[in-house]
Amino acid sequence: MSNYQLDYLDQLESESIHIFREVAGQFEKPALLFSGGKDSITLVHLALKAFRPGKFPFPLVHIDTGHNFPEALAFRDQLAEELGEQLIVRKVEDTIKAKHLTEQKGKFASRNQLQTFTLLDTIEEFGFDACIGGARRDEEKARAKERIFSVRDDFGQWNPKLQRPELWHTYNGKIHKGENVRVFPISNWTELDIWNYIKRENIALPSVYFSHEREVLEYQNALIAVSPYIQIEENDKISTRRVRYRTVGDMTCTAAVASEAYSVDDIISEITATRTSERGETRIDDRFSEAAMEDRKKNGYF
C-alpha cells in the first residue's frame, strides 16, 4: 500500500487539471475567459500544468467592457504575450454601436447587462462550444447552484432547474448544435484557497490586489475608484485612501476595501479574519436585487 497522499491544495489542483483535460477531450472549440483578475490568472496557471510543454488547446478570450482597471488590462496583455498564447479581445463598445444598444444611466452606470450581448456574439463568431471561467461557488448563491459543466441553450440562457448530475467527477459535455457549456474548474475553491495557492505557486498578480493609495468616492459604505466612468456630484465625499481590491470587475461597480496588506501573507491574514464575503463586500451590482446575479446568468451572463 502506498503512503502517497495529496494535501488539500494538491487535491483542488488535481481536480481542476482533470476538468481542463476533460474539456480538451470532449469539446471541439473551447475558450478560456481571461480578464487579468486573480481567478482567471489561477486558471491560466492550472492550464499551464495541464498542457505544457504543449500549447493551450484553446485561446484566451476577454470581453472588455471599456470600464476595466488599467492595471488588470496591462497584466492581461503582458501574460498572454509572455506565454505565447492567443488572446482574443472583443469590446462591448463595438456591440453597443453595432446593435444600437442603450447604456445604463446614473451614478454608477454599468455595462454588465450589455456584456452578455458581446459574449454571446463572440461565442457565435468563433463557434465556441465551451467557455472556461473562474467562477467559484463560495462567491455568490447563484454561482453555488452551477454545475462544473453548465449547459446553455441556443440563446445562451441558463436554466438552474434543468442541470445535469455530476457523480464521481463524471462530466457530461454532450450538447446539441447551437448549445454551449460554461465550465468552472475552480468551482470548489474558496477565496482563501485561491490566495493560499497563489502563495504556494508564487503566481504574479496585478498591483490592484495589494494596498496602494487611490482616490475614492465614499458611497453607502463602499469605496468606489474615481474614474471617468462614474458621475461625481457636488456633495460627494472624495478622499485618498490606502485600499486594495478583493475582486477586479468593472471600475463602475467594484468597490475597494481599506487595507494595509502589501503581500500575499498580509492578504491571507486579512481574509482569514474577515466575516464578509468577497462579492458581498465589493460588488455593488449584486445589491440591485436578491437575485441580481441569477437573473443575469439566466440571460447568458457568465
Side-chain angles (χ1 to χ4, degrees):
M1 177 76 75
S2 169
N3 290 324
Y4 180 71
Q5 290 184 325
L6 297 174
D7 73 13
Y8 183 54
L9 287 179
D10 286 336
Q11 290 179 37
L12 289 173
E13 179 190 72
S14 177
E15 179 188 65
S16 299
I17 290 172
H18 169 67
I19 293 166
F20 266 113
R21 290 174 176 164
E22 283 293 302
V23 171
Q26 293 195 40
F27 296 96
E28 293 183 6
K29 289 207 70 174
L32 194 162
L33 299 183
F34 176 59
S35 64
K38 69 180 188 310
D39 297 314
S40 63
I41 291 169
T42 299
L43 285 180
V44 168
H45 187 80
L46 290 163
L48 287 169
K49 292 205 172 192
F51 302 113
R52 283 293 192 259
K55 298 277 287 184
F56 291 173
F58 39 69
L60 307 177
V61 173
H62 185 213
I63 306 302
D64 185 349
T65 62
H67 294 166
N68 301 102
F69 288 88
E71 298 95 326
L73 294 181
F75 192 95
R76 175 200 72 184
D77 294 343
Q78 179 187 341
L79 184 60
E81 184 176 352
E82 285 176 2
L83 298 178
E85 296 292 344
Q86 182 186 10
L87 173 65
I88 296 169
V89 178
R90 289 293 180 268
K91 297 180 183 298
V92 174
E93 183 77 33
D94 294 337
T95 309
I96 291 170
K97 291 176 182 173
K99 292 182 178 291
H100 305 290
L101 301 177
T102 302
E103 293 196 61
Q104 272 187 3
K105 299 186 185 306
K107 194 169 189 61
F108 303 110
S110 169
R111 288 177 171 171
N112 257 346
Q113 301 280 351
L114 304 183
Q115 193 176 4
T116 299
F117 290 93
T118 312
L119 173 62
L120 297 181
D121 285 350
T122 305
I123 289 171
E124 184 175 359
E125 177 185 354
F126 292 94
F128 294 134
D129 51 5
C131 291
I132 304 162
R136 309 186 318 268
R137 287 186 171 127
D138 77 319
E139 289 183 85
E140 198 276 337
K141 56 191 175 188
R143 287 186 164 169
K145 293 180 183 178
E146 288 262 25
R147 298 292 193 266
I148 289 176
F149 275 30
S150 186
V151 177
R152 299 300 196 269
D153 66 16
D154 295 23
F155 303 99
Q157 295 174 326
W158 175 57
N159 185 347
K161 295 183 178 179
L162 191 63
Q163 300 193 79
R164 295 171 175 173
E166 292 181 335
L167 305 176
W168 305 291
H169 292 211
T170 301
Y171 307 111
N172 180 359
K174 289 185 178 178
I175 53 176
H176 298 291
K177 186 176 176 57
E179 295 178 335
N180 63 86
V181 173
R182 309 290 169 86
V183 181
F184 306 107
I186 57 172
S187 193
N188 290 331
W189 298 47
T190 66
E191 181 187 15
L192 192 56
D193 295 332
I194 292 290
W195 281 105
N196 280 318
Y197 189 71
I198 286 168
K199 176 184 176 182
R200 189 184 85 169
E201 302 291 313
N202 195 26
I203 299 172
L205 293 176
S207 58
V208 290
Y209 283 110
F210 302 95
S211 182
H212 59 284
E213 280 196 348
R214 187 177 287 270
E215 197 173 36
V216 294
L217 164 63
E218 299 183 34
Y219 182 80
Q220 295 184 354
N221 298 320
L223 302 175
I224 309 296
V226 173
S227 74
Y229 315 123
I230 63 172
Q231 289 181 8
I232 306 294
E233 297 165 6
E234 188 177 348
N235 294 327
D236 282 340
K237 183 180 178 183
I238 306 292
S239 60
T240 300
R241 301 278 297 272
R242 292 215 65 88
V243 299
R244 72 173 192 86
Y245 286 86
R246 290 179 70 179
T247 180
V248 177
D250 269 19
M251 297 183 78
T252 55
C253 59
T254 307
V257 295
S259 173
E260 297 289 335
Y262 298 96
S263 68
V264 173
D265 282 331
D266 293 341
I267 292 170
I268 288 172
S269 297
E270 201 174 86
I271 294 170
T272 302
T274 189
R275 292 180 175 274
T276 310
S277 72
E278 177 182 319
R279 291 192 73 97
E281 187 170 28
T282 65
R283 297 302 290 266
I284 62 175
D285 51 332
D286 288 348
R287 301 176 187 177
F288 295 147
S289 74
E290 277 292 307
M293 171 65 85
E294 184 163 324
D295 290 341
R296 292 201 300 273
K297 289 172 79 71
K298 285 178 179 176
N299 291 324
Y301 183 76
F302 208 81

